[in-house]
Amino acid sequence: SKVLVSGANGFIAVWLVRLLLEKGFIVRGTVRSEEKAKFLKNLFKGHGDKFETVIVSDITADGAFDEAVKGMDAIEHTASPFHFHADDPQELIIPAVKGTTGILESALKHGQSVKRIVITSSTASIVRVTTSPTTFSENDWNEPAIKEVEEKGRNASNPAKYRASKTLAEKAAWDFYTKNKSQVPWDLVVLNPPYVFGPSIQDVSTPSALGTSAADWYETVVTGSRDPEAGGGGSKAGSEWVDVRDLAEAHIRALQREEAANERIIISAGPFKYQEWMDVANSLNPSPIPSHPSLQKGNPGSTDKVYLSRYDASKSGRVLGMVSGPEGESLGLTGEKIRYRTKEE
Ligand code: NDP
């Protein structure tokens, strides 16, 4: 069957495309430029005509995905800006929301063969800033981020700007679906991952080209240019994470499993603090990153294992068969053992 993947050159999407191709799907990926298409065509040349690209230079343009959706059986919409340096929050919100409603609109008009659409949302649209440990679930919505951006505009915090863009985009997707579900042959699944880490196989020739989550990890654990105490995964807060390969697998299961229809699903392997990655990295011999034999030490063993934002990922187990290991097993740098495994494995 044929799957359209938007933003196919992204950190998460390249893994998704790779896994789809390995499982025998035919994939059409959208990218913004010929140069990005060229990288992917080369990466996936072993799959011959099972992989093709379409240039969608502006996902906010009316009808941007009209041609791309034609003849597809399913759509995976991953394209959305993910960075923490927007001045005007609309830099994030407009492409996040219009990209999402635009691809749904194109599927409504030209996606007669589409049976399912999966959207990559985020725990950003679920979590709220909290000062005491809280476990969030699919019932939670990040209304405060939307409010902060409405009230403060450019002066809102950078995380709030990104989180508002993801919350508004996901809300717009569900609103669109609710309004049009009687007229469309497809249903909707939304996946909500927290921090996504793991190997980068997209076009990254220098560390500055890393995606936002991988760059945070690299700058904290490897180069030390980022404060290990600060931010979501910092030792003051703690957060959750998922391996990019497992998230790709979840995106495929979200296409295949009937019972995923019309669900938003948290995809998370478990909690982390950057200090824990540092402790694991430093316990490995030889160094897991040979080009950086001396990794950051931080304050070894200092983490209190208290994480302010936890996620209830039980629905991903029930609906998609994704299960994480026992406490602690989900932290590490190499080896299958650390992965958020699937029941079949
Ligand atoms: P990347 O930045 O690696 O990929 C983002 C993709 O979206 C790229 O293809 C990018 O194209 C495209 N894109 C970004 N902005 C625009 C825009 N204005 N117009 C058109 N296309 C755009 O990020 P990730 O792979 O990490 O993220 C993919 C998805 O996963 C996003 O929806 C993100 O919100 C979500 N997510 C990511 C998490 C993470 O920790 N990485 C956590 C939770 C959710 P281009 O290369 O041309 O800029």
Side-chain angles (χ1 to χ4, degrees), residues 15-75:
W15 272 108
L16 171 57
V17 172
R18 174 168 154 178
L19 213 59
L20 282 165
L21 290 168
E22 285 172 3
K23 288 179 191 270
F25 289 88
I26 296 170
V27 180
R28 178 183 290 166
T30 78
V31 289
R32 289 207 266 187
S33 71
E34 204 50 70
E35 195 195 333
K36 290 169 187 178
K38 207 169 138 201
F39 174 86
L40 292 180
K41 278 184 209 150
N42 185 49
L43 185 66
F44 297 125
K45 60 176 184 274
H47 294 278
D49 59 6
K50 296 262 166 61
F51 176 70
E52 64 175 19
T53 52
V54 170
I55 310 285
V56 176
S57 53
D58 179 5
I59 63 172
T60 67
D62 285 341
F65 292 101
D66 281 1
E67 290 306 312
V69 302
K70 287 180 185 166
M72 293 291 114
D73 299 307
I75 298 173

Side-chain angles (χ1 to χ4, degrees), residues 253-270:
R253 291 175 178 223
L255 285 185
Q256 294 173 318
R257 305 228 169 171
E258 191 52 49
E259 58 273 36
N262 310 325
E263 297 284 353
R264 72 192 301 231
I265 308 173
I266 290 170
I267 306 293
S268 179

Side-chain angles (χ1 to χ4, degrees), residues 6-13 30-33 36 56-60 77-82 91 95 120-123 162 166 192-197 202 211-214 247:
S6 70
N9 63 313
F11 167 54
I12 296 167
T30 78
V31 289
R32 289 207 266 187
S33 71
K36 290 169 187 178
V56 176
S57 53
D58 179 5
I59 63 172
T60 67
H77 177 56
T78 82
S80 200
F82 177 27
E91 283 171 44
T120 316
S121 183
S122 170
T123 51
Y162 170 68
K166 294 302 283 181
N192 302 75
Y195 282 85
V196 183
F197 298 135
Q202 80 276 25
T212 298
S213 53
L247 181 57

Side-chain angles (χ1 to χ4, degrees), residues 4 42 113 188 296:
L4 179 72
N42 185 49
S113 52
L188 187 66
Q296 298 305 309

Side-chain angles (χ1 to χ4, degrees), residues 119-137:
I119 292 180
T120 316
S121 183
S122 170
T123 51
S125 69
I126 288 177
V127 73
R128 293 182 308 274
V129 177
T130 163
T131 49
S132 59
T134 306
T135 299
F136 297 94
S137 77

